[in-house]
Amino acid sequence: MKDFIEELQWRRMIYDVMPGTDGQLKSGMTTAYLGIDPTADSLHIGHLVGVMMLTHLQRCGHRPIVVIGGATGMIGDPSFKSQERKLLSIEQIRHNQECIKAQLSKFLDFSSDKSNSALMLNNYDWNHSWSFLDFIRDVGKHITVNYMMSKDCVKKRIESGLSFTEFSYQLLQAYDFKYLFDNYDCRLQMGGSDQWGNITCGTELIRKTTGKEAFALTCPLITKADGKKFGKTEKGNVWLDAEKTSPYAFYQFWLNTSDEDAKKFIRIFTLMNKEEIEAIEAEHDKAPETRLLQKTLAKDITIRVHSQESFEAAIAASEMLFGKGTRESLSRLDTNTFLSVFEGVPMFELSKSEIENGIDIIELLAVKTQILASKGEARRSLKENSISINKEKVKEGFVVGSDSLLNEQYILVQKGKKNYFVIHVQ
């Protein structure tokens, strides 16, 4: 078996590790778990560090368990949060769980009959039958309030206000570890560095109730070189779900990372080995302008999360902005991708009734939309052959009608090589 700790170390994916963890992993196949709160029906790329930890764990011969926080997700983890989370119903959580498992199946093997096949469990299944009195008697008595109050995640919230519901989260997560220890021989819990207090509460509960050892390992919270939060854009999270973040926008996120970030991310988010990555870095440093690191990273993660076809479509969509697209390739873009590619370009609104009988190109450019300042400028541009509709050059006398619509609602106007305009027809 490959050495799991060693693998994470060279990838710079370890923040803290409990003494004895390495020995446990080297003693044979170890079961380890990582929790995911099912707060949405898709993972976002902020989850991927933990997912990659589980991926490496399984590739190193150990058994990964993903615990969906059906119970804890109904409460909300207070760790380093400024306010309580929105609470979810069990129906929402079950739906989100199925969506998340489909995404995780691209990283983890859930289906094989191997001894280290991945498991997905929901902590609602072993928590929902607890009575309050039973829980505080059988679990709560083992962990002191002083111990819980000493955790940084609690200290940071106590000043702004922390409900008893949130305060109890630590005990619930601790019991999850104890339950998995008892029923699945789970010896290790992993998570982000902000989870250290919750995880060690679990190892403490196991020690006090069984006299045995359990272990903890955390990864650093990823930040970008410019100090901004990783995985966030102006539009919010970068999701794995293609409906929430198009494969094109997903690809572009990775492609647009800085050199410094790309060198960090390619270690964390790909399965390439050390020699391969170092060779790519050396090649990249010879000609940084080619962005070899970013292209390699973006290709790898886009194919893994989406598909080869989605990656190729993202490349084709990228070329749209640089004059290589055609009417045919443009018409193949779905609405989300089209809007992602041309995000930020000037957009004009027309009603469908306005184009039903057709609009003369000069009228469209200079009157209906003001893409050009005057009819005279429109005529000059058409004579210079600098106007395209949906990537096809047009001349004076051209009529724009319903047959010009992309996805039944958009028209792309291009002036010269770099000036784009979108007309939204509804």
Side-chain angles (χ1 to χ4, degrees):
M1 293 194 300
K2 288 175 68 176
D3 188 306
F4 178 58
I5 297 287
E6 190 176 285
E7 184 74 15
L8 293 191
Q9 281 175 331
W10 77 258
R11 292 181 184 274
R12 301 164 195 166
M13 292 175 68
I14 293 181
Y15 183 84
D16 221 338
V17 59
M18 186 174 284
T21 303
D22 192 35
Q24 169 62 42
L25 289 160
K26 287 178 177 176
S27 69
M29 188 187 79
T30 295
T31 298
Y33 96 93
L34 181 137
I36 294 177
D37 270 347
T39 48
D41 59 2
S42 173
L43 300 174
H44 54 75
I45 61 174
H47 290 107
L48 281 183
V49 184
V51 172
M52 292 307 297
M53 290 172 74
L54 290 173
T55 303
H56 289 300
L57 182 88
Q58 189 172 44
R59 285 166 62 88
C60 289
H62 304 291
R63 181 170 69 157
I65 296 179
V66 180
V67 173
I68 294 295
T72 43
M74 296 176 80
I75 293 173
D77 178 8
S79 299
F80 302 99
K81 305 293 191 303
S82 59
Q83 59 188 6
E84 283 201 43
R85 265 183 204 171
K86 176 184 174 183
L87 307 185
L88 302 175
S89 70
I90 190 60
E91 291 77 21
Q92 288 174 302
I93 288 167
R94 293 291 188 196
H95 168 73
N96 293 351
Q97 176 180 340
E98 290 307 308
C99 296
I100 289 169
K101 185 171 183 179
Q103 293 177 337
L104 288 175
S105 295
K106 298 178 180 181
F107 294 84
L108 300 169
D109 178 9
F110 288 96
S111 59
S112 75
D113 56 1
K114 295 178 182 177
S115 57
N116 73 328
S117 178
L119 294 174
M120 176 176 276
L121 304 172
N122 188 327
N123 67 7
Y124 180 81
D125 295 334
W126 58 80
N127 278 309
H128 75 278
S129 59
W130 275 110
S131 74
F132 178 70
L133 292 176
D134 286 343
F135 187 81
I136 60 174
R137 180 193 64 195
D138 297 342
V139 178
K141 70 178 182 180
H142 296 290
I143 304 295
T144 68
V145 171
N146 287 347
Y147 178 84
M148 295 173 71
M149 292 286 290
S150 69
K151 303 295 184 182
D152 285 343
C153 58
V154 173
K155 285 179 180 177
K156 291 183 184 296
R157 275 294 306 280
I158 203 76
E159 294 174 6
S160 60
L162 182 70
S163 71
F164 178 78
T165 302
E166 291 180 291
F167 187 59
S168 65
Y169 187 98
Q170 208 178 133
L171 284 179
L172 280 170
Q173 187 167 327
Y175 180 70
D176 285 347
F177 200 175
K178 169 72 163 51
Y179 179 88
L180 296 173
F181 182 92
D182 291 341
N183 293 276
Y184 294 91
D185 193 30
C186 180
R187 299 298 179 113
L188 172 64
Q189 184 182 169
M190 303 187 297
S193 58
D194 60 340
Q195 290 294 307
W196 184 255
N198 290 334
I199 295 173
T200 53
C201 190
T203 63
E204 179 72 0
L205 179 63
I206 290 167
R207 184 186 66 80
K208 285 192 170 183
T209 55
T210 70
K212 296 178 181 178
E213 281 189 299
F215 304 95
L217 186 153
T218 60
C219 60
L221 298 179
I222 305 303
T223 55
K224 297 199 296 184
D226 61 6
K228 292 181 181 177
K229 190 171 183 179
F230 167 74
K232 290 279 190 179
T233 66
E234 290 182 3
K235 298 181 77 174
N237 287 321
V238 179
W239 299 94
L240 274 57
D241 186 328
E243 293 298 314
K244 297 180 187 297
T245 299
S246 71
Y248 166 80
F250 185 87
Y251 174 79
Q252 287 292 320
F253 172 83
W254 301 101
L255 189 66
N256 291 323
T257 56
S258 67
D259 285 359
E260 184 179 343
D261 285 335
K263 289 181 179 182
K264 177 166 62 175
F265 295 166
I266 200 167
R267 285 169 163 74
I268 296 171
F269 300 111
T270 78
L271 296 175
M272 296 179 207
N273 63 39
K274 189 176 183 181
E275 291 72 25
E276 289 173 322
I277 290 173
E278 288 176 346
I280 291 167
E281 285 178 334
E283 192 68 24
H284 173 91
D285 288 343
K286 291 177 185 176
E289 68 278 4
T290 65
R291 301 182 69 76
L292 177 62
L293 260 176
Q294 288 89 340
K295 289 177 181 177
T296 305
L297 169 66
K299 177 181 179 180
D300 185 281
I301 195 68
T302 301
I303 291 173
R304 178 170 291 275
V305 168
H306 295 291
S307 66
Q308 177 73 33
E309 292 74 21
S310 293
F311 162 70
E312 291 170 1
I315 293 295
S318 300
E319 292 176 344
M320 288 287 172
L321 294 173
F322 302 102
K324 297 181 181 179
T326 64
R327 167 66 191 255
E328 183 183 359
S329 60
L330 186 63
S331 65
R332 287 200 296 265
L333 298 182
D334 60 73
T335 299
N336 283 350
T337 303
F338 177 85
L339 293 176
S340 294
V341 172
F342 297 103
E343 181 181 6
V345 308
M347 183 177 287
F348 300 89
E349 301 283 342
L350 288 180
S351 66
K352 287 198 173 181
S353 62
E354 290 181 275
I355 68 163
E356 281 178 353
N357 298 319
I359 302 176
D360 178 77
I361 186 66
I362 293 175
E363 183 82 0
L364 179 76
L365 296 175
V367 178
K368 293 290 186 181
T369 64
Q370 295 83 50
I371 287 173
L372 296 178
S374 65
K375 290 184 177 181
E377 185 181 346
R379 288 191 182 92
R380 284 193 298 276
S381 296
L382 289 162
K383 285 177 182 177
E384 293 168 357
N385 204 31
S386 65
I387 301 296
S388 297
I389 298 293
N390 299 333
K391 288 293 182 179
E392 293 181 342
K393 294 287 186 182
V394 296
K395 296 186 179 296
E396 195 169 344
F398 181 82
V399 175
V400 177
S402 298
D403 58 347
S404 300
L405 294 178
L406 301 167
N407 294 316
E408 300 184 351
Q409 59 181 325
Y410 296 104
I411 299 168
L412 180 68
V413 181
Q414 185 176 355
K415 181 180 183 297
K417 290 184 178 181
K418 296 182 179 179
N419 297 309
Y420 288 95
F421 308 86
V422 172
I423 302 173
H424 184 202
V425 181
Q426 57 182 339

